[in-house]
Amino acid sequence: MNKQSKPVADDDVGDGLGPAPSEEEMEAWIVRNRDAINESIIEADREFAEGKAEPWTMEDVMAEVQEILRKEGR
């Protein structure tokens, strides 16, 4: 019978995403996804230039965060 391992402590409580990746894991993810990331940035720049999108203001960001926290009961 296999011995169960101890759970790994999660620094992010309650977000459902698990522990944050290490710096090495993050770098490896960026390398694997570099083309898709760059294409996403190019597409966003194109949308801004065409007037299809507007950048978020700090107030927009804070309103989004407050809404998420409100829904989570924090």
Side-chain angles (χ1 to χ4, degrees):
M1 181 175 217
N2 293 334
K3 182 179 176 184
Q4 292 183 348
S5 63
K6 291 183 180 180
V8 176
D10 187 353
D11 293 339
D12 298 321
V13 177
D15 63 6
L17 300 176
S22 69
E23 187 173 330
E24 292 82 16
E25 291 169 325
M26 224 29 234
E27 287 295 323
W29 182 89
I30 290 170
V31 168
R32 286 191 313 270
N33 294 284
R34 187 173 311 277
D35 291 340
I37 293 167
N38 286 335
E39 181 55 38
S40 180
I41 292 168
I42 291 166
E43 182 179 344
D45 285 344
R46 189 178 322 123
E47 288 179 1
F48 282 120
E50 294 171 357
K52 294 180 180 177
E54 294 181 17
W56 281 15
T57 65
M58 185 54 76
E59 290 78 20
D60 294 334
V61 173
M62 290 306 298
E64 180 82 13
V65 169
Q66 289 171 344
E67 180 63 18
I68 291 168
L69 293 175
R70 185 189 64 75
K71 286 180 181 178
E72 292 179 358
R74 294 185 190 187

